[in-house]
Amino acid sequence: MNGMIESHLVQHINAQCHPQLLYLHKLSGIRYAATYESTCSYELSPIHGESQHASIQELANSEVWQLLP
């Protein structure tokens, strides 16, 4: 299902099934916690500042993003 039509409860349950990932934005040096939103996107939350959204394809760009252990 598309995240746009899933209920809030279904989105919450789906997010719990996926581990939270940490990404480093190489260009800015900011670390983000990536929370699963739908089959094609994550919500990226920094320690300080506003959240962003990125597709799985965008996060796969190793020139911009690094998955942290």
Coordinates of all heavy atoms in Angstrom, one line a residue:
M1 N 0.8 -1.2 0.0 CA 0.0 0.0 0.0 C 0.9 1.2 0.0 O 2.0 1.3 0.5 CB -0.9 0.0 1.2 CG -2.0 -1.0 1.2 SD -3.1 -0.8 2.6 CE -4.1 0.6 2.1
N2 N 0.4 2.3 -0.5 CA 1.0 3.5 -0.6 C 0.9 4.2 0.8 O -0.2 4.2 1.4 CB 0.4 4.4 -1.7 CG 1.1 5.7 -1.9 OD1 1.7 6.2 -0.9 ND2 1.0 6.3 -3.0
G3 N 1.9 4.8 1.3 CA 1.9 5.5 2.6 C 0.8 6.6 2.7 O 0.4 7.0 3.7
M4 N 0.4 7.1 1.5 CA -0.5 8.2 1.5 C -1.9 7.7 1.9 O -2.7 8.5 2.3 CB -0.6 8.9 0.1 CG 0.7 9.5 -0.3 SD 1.2 10.9 0.6 CE 0.1 12.1 -0.1
I5 N -2.2 6.5 1.7 CA -3.6 6.0 1.9 C -3.6 5.1 3.2 O -4.7 4.6 3.5 CB -4.2 5.3 0.7 CG1 -3.3 4.1 0.3 CG2 -4.4 6.3 -0.4 CD1 -4.0 3.3 -0.9
E6 N -2.5 4.8 3.8 CA -2.5 3.9 5.0 C -2.9 4.8 6.2 O -2.6 5.9 6.3 CB -1.1 3.4 5.2 CG -0.6 2.4 4.2 CD 0.8 1.9 4.4 OE1 1.5 2.6 5.2 OE2 1.2 1.0 3.8
S7 N -3.6 4.1 7.1 CA -4.0 4.8 8.3 C -2.8 5.1 9.2 O -1.8 4.5 9.0 CB -5.1 4.0 9.1 OG -4.4 2.8 9.6
H8 N -3.0 6.0 10.1 CA -1.9 6.3 11.0 C -1.4 5.1 11.8 O -0.2 4.8 12.0 CB -2.3 7.4 12.0 CG -1.2 7.8 12.9 ND1 0.0 8.4 12.5 CD2 -1.1 7.6 14.3 CE1 0.7 8.6 13.6 NE2 0.1 8.1 14.6
L9 N -2.4 4.2 12.2 CA -2.1 3.0 12.9 C -1.3 2.1 12.1 O -0.3 1.5 12.6 CB -3.4 2.4 13.4 CG -3.2 1.0 14.2 CD1 -2.3 1.3 15.5 CD2 -4.5 0.5 14.6
V10 N -1.6 1.9 10.8 CA -0.9 1.0 10.0 C 0.5 1.5 9.7 O 1.5 0.7 9.7 CB -1.7 0.8 8.6 CG1 -0.8 0.0 7.6 CG2 -3.0 0.0 8.9
Q11 N 0.7 2.8 9.5 CA 2.0 3.4 9.3 C 2.8 3.1 10.6 O 4.0 2.8 10.5 CB 1.9 4.9 9.1 CG 1.3 5.2 7.7 CD 1.1 6.7 7.5 OE1 1.4 7.5 8.4 NE2 0.6 7.0 6.3
H12 N 2.3 3.3 11.8 CA 3.0 3.1 13.0 C 3.4 1.6 13.1 O 4.6 1.4 13.5 CB 2.1 3.5 14.2 CG 2.7 3.3 15.5 ND1 3.8 4.1 16.0 CD2 2.5 2.4 16.5 CE1 4.1 3.7 17.2 NE2 3.4 2.7 17.5
I13 N 2.6 0.7 12.8 CA 2.9 -0.7 12.9 C 4.0 -1.1 11.9 O 5.0 -1.7 12.3 CB 1.7 -1.6 12.7 CG1 0.7 -1.4 13.9 CG2 2.0 -3.1 12.5 CD1 -0.7 -2.0 13.6
N14 N 3.9 -0.5 10.7 CA 4.9 -0.8 9.7 C 6.3 -0.2 10.1 O 7.3 -0.9 9.9 CB 4.5 -0.2 8.3 CG 3.5 -1.0 7.7 OD1 3.2 -2.2 8.0 ND2 2.8 -0.4 6.7
A15 N 6.3 1.0 10.7 CA 7.5 1.6 11.2 C 8.2 0.7 12.3 O 9.4 0.7 12.3 CB 7.3 3.0 11.7
Q16 N 7.4 0.1 13.1 CA 8.0 -0.7 14.2 C 8.6 -2.0 13.6 O 9.5 -2.6 14.3 CB 6.9 -1.1 15.2 CG 6.4 0.1 16.0 CD 5.3 -0.3 17.0 OE1 4.6 -1.2 16.8 NE2 5.3 0.4 18.1
C17 N 8.2 -2.4 12.5 CA 8.8 -3.6 11.9 C 10.1 -3.4 11.2 O 10.8 -4.3 10.8 CB 7.8 -4.2 10.8 SG 6.2 -4.8 11.5
H18 N 10.5 -2.1 11.0 CA 11.7 -1.8 10.4 C 12.6 -1.1 11.4 O 12.2 -0.2 12.1 CB 11.5 -0.8 9.2 CG 10.7 -1.4 8.1 ND1 11.1 -2.4 7.4 CD2 9.5 -1.1 7.7 CE1 10.2 -2.7 6.5 NE2 9.2 -1.9 6.7
P19 N 13.9 -1.6 11.5 CA 14.8 -1.0 12.5 C 15.1 0.5 12.1 O 15.1 0.9 10.9 CB 16.0 -1.8 12.4 CG 16.0 -2.4 11.0 CD 14.5 -2.6 10.7
Q20 N 15.3 1.3 13.1 CA 15.7 2.7 12.8 C 17.1 2.7 12.4 O 18.0 2.1 13.0 CB 15.5 3.6 14.1 CG 15.6 5.0 13.8 CD 15.3 5.9 14.9 OE1 15.7 5.6 16.0 NE2 14.5 7.0 14.7
L21 N 17.4 3.4 11.3 CA 18.7 3.5 10.7 C 19.3 4.9 11.0 O 18.6 5.9 11.1 CB 18.6 3.3 9.2 CG 18.0 1.9 8.8 CD1 17.8 1.9 7.3 CD2 18.9 0.8 9.3
L22 N 20.6 5.0 11.0 CA 21.3 6.2 11.2 C 22.1 6.5 9.9 O 22.8 5.7 9.4 CB 22.3 6.2 12.3 CG 21.6 6.0 13.7 CD1 22.7 5.9 14.8 CD2 20.7 7.1 14.0
Y23 N 21.9 7.8 9.4 CA 22.6 8.2 8.2 C 23.4 9.4 8.4 O 22.9 10.3 9.2 CB 21.6 8.5 7.0 CG 21.1 7.2 6.3 CD1 20.0 6.6 6.7 CD2 21.8 6.7 5.2 CE1 19.5 5.4 6.1 CE2 21.4 5.6 4.6 CZ 20.2 4.9 5.0 OH 19.8 3.8 4.3
L24 N 24.5 9.5 7.8 CA 25.3 10.7 7.8 C 25.2 11.4 6.4 O 25.4 10.8 5.4 CB 26.8 10.4 8.0 CG 27.8 11.6 7.9 CD1 27.6 12.6 9.0 CD2 29.2 11.1 7.9
H25 N 24.8 12.7 6.5 CA 24.7 13.5 5.2 C 26.1 14.0 5.0 O 26.6 14.9 5.8 CB 23.7 14.6 5.4 CG 23.5 15.3 4.1 ND1 24.0 16.6 3.9 CD2 22.8 15.0 3.0 CE1 23.7 17.0 2.7 NE2 23.0 16.1 2.1
K26 N 26.9 13.5 4.1 CA 28.3 13.8 3.9 C 28.5 15.2 3.6 O 29.6 15.8 3.9 CB 28.9 12.9 2.8 CG 29.0 11.4 3.2 CD 29.6 10.6 2.1 CE 29.8 9.2 2.5 NZ 30.4 8.4 1.4
L27 N 27.6 15.9 2.9 CA 27.8 17.2 2.4 C 27.7 18.2 3.6 O 28.4 19.3 3.6 CB 26.9 17.6 1.3 CG 26.9 16.7 0.1 CD1 25.8 17.1 -0.9 CD2 28.3 16.6 -0.5
S28 N 26.9 17.9 4.6 CA 26.7 18.9 5.7 C 27.3 18.4 7.0 O 27.5 19.1 7.9 CB 25.2 19.2 5.9 OG 24.6 18.0 6.3
G29 N 27.6 17.1 7.1 CA 28.1 16.5 8.3 C 27.0 16.2 9.4 O 27.4 15.9 10.5
I30 N 25.8 16.3 9.0 CA 24.7 16.1 9.9 C 24.2 14.7 9.9 O 24.1 14.1 8.9 CB 23.5 17.1 9.6 CG1 23.9 18.5 9.7 CG2 22.3 16.8 10.5 CD1 22.8 19.5 9.2
R31 N 24.0 14.1 11.1 CA 23.5 12.8 11.3 C 22.0 12.8 11.4 O 21.5 13.6 12.1 CB 24.2 12.1 12.5 CG 25.7 11.9 12.3 CD 26.3 11.3 13.6 NE 27.7 11.4 13.4 CZ 28.5 10.4 13.8 NH1 28.0 9.4 14.5 NH2 29.8 10.5 13.6
Y32 N 21.4 11.8 10.8 CA 19.9 11.8 10.8 C 19.5 10.4 11.3 O 20.1 9.4 10.9 CB 19.3 12.0 9.4 CG 19.5 13.4 8.9 CD1 20.6 13.8 8.2 CD2 18.4 14.3 9.1 CE1 20.7 15.1 7.8 CE2 18.5 15.6 8.6 CZ 19.7 16.0 8.0 OH 19.7 17.3 7.5
A33 N 18.4 10.3 12.0 CA 17.8 9.0 12.3 C 16.7 8.9 11.2 O 15.9 9.7 11.0 CB 17.1 9.1 13.7
A34 N 16.8 7.7 10.5 CA 15.8 7.5 9.4 C 14.7 6.6 9.9 O 14.9 5.4 10.4 CB 16.5 6.8 8.3
T35 N 13.5 7.0 9.9 CA 12.3 6.3 10.3 C 11.5 5.9 9.1 O 11.1 6.8 8.2 CB 11.4 7.1 11.2 OG1 12.2 7.6 12.3 CG2 10.2 6.3 11.8
Y36 N 11.2 4.6 8.9 CA 10.4 4.1 7.8 C 9.1 4.8 7.7 O 8.4 4.9 8.7 CB 10.3 2.6 7.9 CG 9.5 1.9 6.9 CD1 10.1 1.6 5.7 CD2 8.2 1.6 7.0 CE1 9.4 0.9 4.7 CE2 7.4 1.0 6.0 CZ 8.1 0.6 4.9 OH 7.3 0.0 3.9
E37 N 8.7 5.3 6.5 CA 7.4 5.9 6.3 C 6.5 5.0 5.4 O 5.4 4.8 5.7 CB 7.6 7.3 5.7 CG 7.9 8.3 6.6 CD 7.8 9.7 6.0 OE1 8.1 9.9 4.8 OE2 7.3 10.6 6.7
S38 N 7.1 4.6 4.3 CA 6.4 3.8 3.3 C 7.3 2.9 2.5 O 8.5 3.0 2.8 CB 5.6 4.7 2.4 OG 6.4 5.4 1.5
T39 N 6.9 2.2 1.6 CA 7.7 1.3 0.8 C 8.8 2.0 0.0 O 9.7 1.4 -0.5 CB 6.9 0.4 -0.1 OG1 6.1 1.3 -1.0 CG2 6.0 -0.5 0.6
C40 N 8.7 3.4 -0.1 CA 9.6 4.1 -0.9 C 10.3 5.3 -0.2 O 11.0 6.0 -0.8 CB 9.0 4.5 -2.2 SG 7.6 5.6 -2.1
S41 N 10.0 5.5 1.1 CA 10.5 6.7 1.7 C 10.8 6.6 3.2 O 10.2 5.7 3.9 CB 9.6 8.0 1.4 OG 8.4 7.8 2.2
Y42 N 11.7 7.5 3.7 CA 12.0 7.5 5.1 C 11.9 9.0 5.6 O 12.0 9.9 4.8 CB 13.4 7.1 5.3 CG 13.6 5.6 5.3 CD1 13.8 4.9 4.2 CD2 13.7 4.9 6.5 CE1 14.0 3.5 4.2 CE2 13.9 3.6 6.6 CZ 14.0 2.9 5.4 OH 14.2 1.5 5.4
E43 N 11.5 9.2 6.8 CA 11.6 10.5 7.4 C 12.9 10.6 8.1 O 13.3 9.7 8.9 CB 10.5 10.7 8.5 CG 10.6 12.0 9.1 CD 9.5 12.2 10.2 OE1 8.8 11.3 10.5 OE2 9.4 13.4 10.7
L44 N 13.7 11.7 7.8 CA 15.0 11.9 8.4 C 14.9 12.9 9.5 O 14.6 14.1 9.2 CB 16.0 12.3 7.3 CG 16.1 11.3 6.1 CD1 17.0 11.9 5.0 CD2 16.7 10.0 6.6
S45 N 15.3 12.6 10.7 CA 15.2 13.5 11.8 C 16.6 13.8 12.4 O 17.3 12.9 12.9 CB 14.4 12.9 12.9 OG 13.1 12.7 12.4
P46 N 17.1 15.0 12.3 CA 18.4 15.4 12.9 C 18.2 15.6 14.4 O 17.1 15.7 14.9 CB 18.8 16.7 12.2 CG 17.4 17.3 11.9 CD 16.5 16.2 11.7
I47 N 19.3 15.7 15.2 CA 19.2 16.0 16.6 C 18.6 17.4 16.8 O 17.7 17.6 17.6 CB 20.6 16.0 17.3 CG1 21.1 14.5 17.3 CG2 20.5 16.6 18.7 CD1 22.5 14.4 17.8
H48 N 19.0 18.4 16.0 CA 18.4 19.7 16.0 C 17.9 20.1 14.6 O 18.6 19.8 13.6 CB 19.5 20.7 16.5 CG 20.0 20.5 17.8 ND1 19.3 20.6 19.0 CD2 21.2 20.0 18.2 CE1 20.0 20.3 20.0 NE2 21.2 19.9 19.6
G49 N 16.8 20.7 14.5 CA 16.3 21.2 13.2 C 15.1 20.4 12.8 O 14.6 19.6 13.5
E50 N 14.7 20.7 11.6 CA 13.5 20.2 11.0 C 13.8 18.8 10.3 O 14.8 18.6 9.8 CB 12.9 21.1 10.0 CG 12.4 22.4 10.6 CD 11.7 23.3 9.6 OE1 11.1 22.7 8.7 OE2 11.7 24.5 9.8
S51 N 12.7 18.0 10.4 CA 12.9 16.7 9.7 C 12.8 16.9 8.2 O 12.3 17.9 7.7 CB 11.7 15.8 10.1 OG 11.8 15.5 11.4
Q52 N 13.4 15.9 7.5 CA 13.3 15.9 6.0 C 12.8 14.6 5.6 O 12.6 13.7 6.4 CB 14.8 16.1 5.4 CG 15.4 17.3 5.8 CD 16.8 17.4 5.1 OE1 17.1 16.7 4.2 NE2 17.6 18.3 5.6
H53 N 12.5 14.4 4.3 CA 12.0 13.2 3.8 C 13.0 12.8 2.6 O 13.4 13.7 1.8 CB 10.6 13.3 3.3 CG 9.7 13.6 4.4 ND1 9.1 12.7 5.2 CD2 9.2 14.8 4.9 CE1 8.3 13.3 6.1 NE2 8.4 14.6 5.9
A54 N 13.3 11.5 2.5 CA 14.1 11.0 1.4 C 13.6 9.7 0.9 O 13.2 8.9 1.7 CB 15.6 10.9 1.9
S55 N 13.8 9.5 -0.4 CA 13.4 8.2 -0.9 C 14.5 7.2 -0.7 O 15.7 7.6 -0.4 CB 13.1 8.3 -2.4 OG 14.3 8.6 -3.1
I56 N 14.2 6.0 -0.8 CA 15.2 4.9 -0.7 C 16.3 5.1 -1.8 O 17.5 4.9 -1.5 CB 14.6 3.5 -0.8 CG1 13.7 3.3 0.5 CG2 15.6 2.4 -0.9 CD1 12.8 2.1 0.4
Q57 N 15.9 5.5 -2.9 CA 16.8 5.8 -4.0 C 17.8 6.9 -3.7 O 19.0 6.9 -3.9 CB 16.1 6.1 -5.3 CG 15.3 4.9 -5.8 CD 14.4 5.3 -7.0 OE1 14.0 6.5 -7.1 NE2 14.0 4.3 -7.8
E58 N 17.3 8.0 -3.0 CA 18.2 9.1 -2.6 C 19.2 8.7 -1.6 O 20.3 9.0 -1.6 CB 17.3 10.3 -2.1 CG 16.5 10.9 -3.2 CD 15.5 11.9 -2.6 OE1 15.0 11.7 -1.5 OE2 15.3 12.9 -3.3
L59 N 18.7 7.9 -0.6 CA 19.6 7.4 0.5 C 20.6 6.4 -0.1 O 21.7 6.2 0.6 CB 18.8 6.7 1.6 CG 17.9 7.7 2.4 CD1 17.0 6.9 3.3 CD2 18.7 8.7 3.1
A60 N 20.4 5.8 -1.2 CA 21.4 4.9 -1.8 C 22.5 5.6 -2.5 O 23.5 5.0 -2.8 CB 20.7 4.0 -2.8
N61 N 22.4 6.9 -2.6 CA 23.5 7.7 -3.3 C 24.7 7.8 -2.3 O 24.7 8.6 -1.4 CB 23.0 9.1 -3.7 CG 24.1 9.9 -4.4 OD1 25.2 9.6 -4.4 ND2 23.6 11.0 -5.0
S62 N 25.7 7.0 -2.5 CA 26.8 7.0 -1.5 C 27.7 8.2 -1.6 O 28.5 8.4 -0.7 CB 27.7 5.7 -1.8 OG 28.3 5.8 -3.1
E63 N 27.5 9.1 -2.6 CA 28.3 10.3 -2.6 C 27.7 11.3 -1.6 O 28.4 12.3 -1.2 CB 28.3 10.9 -4.0 CG 29.1 10.0 -5.0 CD 29.1 10.6 -6.4 OE1 28.6 11.8 -6.6 OE2 29.6 9.9 -7.3
V64 N 26.4 11.2 -1.3 CA 25.7 12.1 -0.4 C 25.4 11.5 1.0 O 25.6 12.2 2.0 CB 24.4 12.6 -1.0 CG1 23.6 13.5 -0.1 CG2 24.7 13.2 -2.4
W65 N 25.0 10.2 1.0 CA 24.6 9.6 2.3 C 25.5 8.4 2.7 O 25.9 7.7 1.8 CB 23.2 9.1 2.2 CG 22.2 10.2 2.0 CD1 21.6 10.6 0.8 CD2 21.7 11.0 3.0 NE1 20.8 11.6 1.0 CE2 20.8 11.9 2.4 CE3 21.9 11.2 4.4 CZ2 20.1 12.9 3.1 CZ3 21.2 12.1 5.1 CH2 20.3 13.0 4.4
Q66 N 25.8 8.3 3.9 CA 26.5 7.1 4.5 C 25.7 6.5 5.6 O 25.3 7.2 6.5 CB 27.9 7.6 5.0 CG 28.6 6.4 5.7 CD 29.9 6.9 6.3 OE1 30.3 8.0 6.1 NE2 30.5 6.0 7.0
L67 N 25.4 5.2 5.4 CA 24.7 4.5 6.5 C 25.6 4.2 7.6 O 26.7 3.6 7.4 CB 24.1 3.1 5.9 CG 23.4 2.2 6.8 CD1 22.1 2.9 7.4 CD2 23.0 0.9 6.2
L68 N 25.3 4.6 8.8 CA 26.1 4.4 10.0 C 25.8 3.1 10.7 O 24.6 2.7 10.7 CB 26.0 5.6 10.9 CG 26.4 7.0 10.3 CD1 26.1 8.1 11.3 CD2 27.9 7.0 9.9
P69 N 26.8 2.5 11.3 CA 26.5 1.2 12.0 C 25.7 1.5 13.3 O 25.7 2.5 13.9 CB 27.9 0.7 12.3 CG 28.9 1.8 12.1 CD 28.2 2.8 11.3

